[in-house]
Structure formats: structure tokens, C-alpha cells
Amino acid sequence: MENPIFGGAQVSTDPVETEGLSAVSGEPRTQGGEPPDDEAVVGALREVYDPEIPVNIYDLGLIYDRAIQDNGDVNIQMTLTTPGCPVAGEMPQWVADSVATVPGTGKVTVTLTWDPPWTLDQMTDDAKLALGLI
């Protein structure tokens, strides 16, 4: 399977094995306080990079949904550029660990999905520019 951005061959990971894969980080908050700010969560997402692509996962359009609960828990649904991605089993944990560092965050759950499939259209213009696509 080829990477849609660089065209190089990738080690295949079975998408059936990784669909719905979840990673958890952080701890439920025991005291009140403000939940994490959405901007701060997005900032943490922008700290995570696919090791083969020099653009963060947020600007690549890999984050399909994020929900911040009143108790500080954060739920994220994400995808990867291809179901055959060799880091499919690791990337959700990288995301969960990064978001868990945001002040006010409780438990972070990241779930991997392949539906809908990722396309280049999901990238921000900045990401496309960085990759020479525009």
C-alpha cells in the first residue's frame, strides 16, 4: 500500500484489527474546576506528528471529532492517512498522552476509525502548502 502523500511503500496493518482501537491516558478528576480549553486541546493535538509526514495530525485532518466533558474528560475520534499505516496501533496513545498534559483534563479516550476514509481534502491549506500540494 502506498502513502497518498509521499508514494512510498508502507508496512501493512490490518484495518479490521485497528478499527475502534482505543487508547486512554490521564485520570478522572477528583475535584471541580474548569475543564480544559478547546484551544489548548487543539494545541496539544498539533504537537503530534505522523512520523512519515512533517505536518501535525490536526492540520492533516486526522481528528474527526473531539468532545470536552464538563468533568474534564476528553473523547477524540481520529483516523490515519491510510488503514495500512504502520503506527496505527501506537498513534492513538500518542494523541491521548499529549492531550492528557493539558491543564484541567481528566481521562482522555482516543478511538481510531476508518470511516469515512481520510482524503487530502481534509487537510488545512497550511498543511497542503507545507507539503507542496498548493
Side-chain angles (χ1 to χ4, degrees):
M1 185 166 293
E2 292 202 0
N3 183 299
I5 294 175
F6 296 110
Q10 293 187 349
V11 175
S12 181
T13 300
D14 186 353
V16 173
E17 293 176 9
T18 54
E19 173 68 34
L21 176 77
S22 289
V24 177
S25 192
E27 298 287 329
R29 292 189 325 180
T30 57
Q31 298 180 6
E34 293 295 316
D37 176 80
D38 187 59
E39 255 183 67
V41 170
V42 169
L45 292 169
R46 284 190 163 125
E47 295 294 318
V48 181
Y49 287 75
D50 182 308
E52 295 181 339
I53 306 170
V55 175
N56 69 74
I57 62 166
Y58 186 82
D59 289 331
L60 280 173
L62 301 181
I63 303 301
Y64 283 173
D65 187 45
R66 65 185 182 285
I68 301 170
Q69 310 300 317
D70 290 340
N71 67 356
D73 289 354
V74 179
N75 297 308
I76 297 170
Q77 185 177 46
M78 69 173 294
T79 194
L80 298 172
T81 58
T82 178
C85 181
V87 294
E90 301 166 64
M91 183 74 74
Q93 190 65 56
W94 299 346
V95 173
D97 290 345
S98 183
V99 173
T101 66
V102 175
T105 301
K107 184 172 112 176
V108 179
T109 304
V110 178
T111 305
L112 190 61
T113 187
W114 303 114
D115 187 32
W118 178 85
T119 67
L120 293 174
D121 294 336
Q122 292 163 268
M123 295 170 62
T124 64
D125 286 343
D126 288 342
K128 290 176 185 176
L129 186 62
L131 294 172
L133 299 174
I134 57 172

